[in-house]
Amino acid sequence: MTRQAHGHPARGPEFDFDFHGAPLDTIFDDYKTMHRDCPVSWSDRYDGFWTLTRFDDVNRAEHDWDTFSVAPSMILPPFGTDRPLIPLDIDPPALTAYRQVLLPFFTPKQMDLLLPRTHEIADRLLDELPPENPPGERVVDVSSYARMLPAMVFGEYCGFPMDDAAQFDRWVDDIVFARSDDESVARAAADDVYDYFRSLIALRRREPGPDVITALLAADHAGRPLDDEEMLDICYLLFVAGLETTAGTIRVALWHLAQHPDDLVRIAADPTLIPAATEEYLRALSPVQAMARTLKQDTEIGGVEMQAGERVVLAFGAANRDPEVFECPHDVQLDRSPNPHVAFGVGAHRCLGSNLARREVNVALEVFTSRFPRFELAEPAPWHGVGPLKLRILP
């Protein structure tokens, strides 16, 4: 329900919008209402913010960093820390130097080199799923498959010890999912993660390895090496962003296929459909529904006046369902083309890890559906979050 903003008659309607926790259960219905009634709206949550839901408005904000700054952070509420996440929370032109250091590690060609190992890890994780119990019926919780695959692939590439993957998973839960309910849990986990990386960075300085952290320590950043504080903030971002968003996409893809047997039959019979399906899951069921900016100057969008210093949330999930851009935007169409979604952001802050994320999701779906070409939900589960996702494997 929209209503005129109290005390701000010129500022447009209010909408009690949230993009964390249980509100995600109905967020796609909220987007329909917001697109129709209030594509630009105000919410009092998280100390107040504007929400942009139109595809064109989100794109404008992504490309206009002179007006829409990422400082103090894109993340609302914070990921358990007030430190800037490099390069996520850095505006151009300083951003450019950081991305020049990081981009060579995440090119398509570099990510292709990880494909054989990604297949090996996916097969290993499926080998470890429990067998039939009772005999004749097999129900498996695939949430661990979705979570551990990117944790192990990305962690091994970056130089995080594989034995720590389960601990990473627990930290991500506390940082990403507990922060809107209990900030102290997220901050305690963030402190542990920073301590972990302090030790790991010191180790890699003493004992270099064939990994991204070692390479970053030797990299040239605008004529100098990265210092330990910069390394800490980069490692923290790689850790959080590299694990959770990909895991969420794998989960939601399996969740969808378990309820749409015709789509499952198509993918199992023709794995070449998987890359396009991955793009559609990224669009329709975006792992990152929204990120924030801070206005550096007064501006106007959609007839709504906004003031310098106010927070603005870019609702990527809503932009990806904008009926002005996508035909039948609330339908999942595995072969949708074109598919200009903004799940990875656009412009200067486009996700560095998008090439790896796509490949991890593609492999996860290919390996799972080749081994289990028929399955269904064993019990109801939300599309989002970290809880169990139990699938009944069908003969």
Side-chain angles (χ1 to χ4, degrees), residues 75-104:
I75 309 301
L76 184 70
F79 272 162
T81 180
D82 297 320
R83 297 173 62 118
L85 306 182
I86 298 175
L88 190 71
D89 295 333
I90 307 295
D91 284 316
L95 169 68
T96 304
Y98 285 114
R99 287 184 70 92
Q100 286 175 343
V101 171
L102 290 163
L103 276 171

Side-chain angles (χ1 to χ4, degrees), residues 249-263:
T249 307
I250 296 171
R251 174 195 172 93
V252 81
L254 295 174
W255 175 88
H256 171 86
L257 291 172
Q259 298 172 87
H260 295 82
D262 290 344
D263 285 348

Side-chain angles (χ1 to χ4, degrees), residues 17-34:
F17 178 59
D18 197 1
F19 42 95
H20 291 292
L24 288 171
D25 293 339
T26 58
I27 200 167
F28 304 129
D29 291 330
D30 288 344
Y31 291 156
K32 292 178 183 178
T33 301
M34 296 168 82

Side-chain angles (χ1 to χ4, degrees), residues 217-247:
L217 289 170
D220 183 328
H221 171 64
R224 64 171 178 84
L226 293 162
D227 62 36
D228 279 359
E229 296 305 301
E230 290 170 314
M231 283 294 302
L232 279 171
D233 293 328
I234 289 171
C235 287
Y236 187 84
L237 174 62
L238 292 176
F239 162 76
V240 177
L243 274 58
E244 177 47 41
T245 54
T246 307

Side-chain angles (χ1 to χ4, degrees), residues 322-333:
D322 187 339
E324 296 297 318
V325 177
F326 300 97
E327 184 179 354
C328 301
H330 297 283
D331 296 342
V332 176
Q333 301 175 358

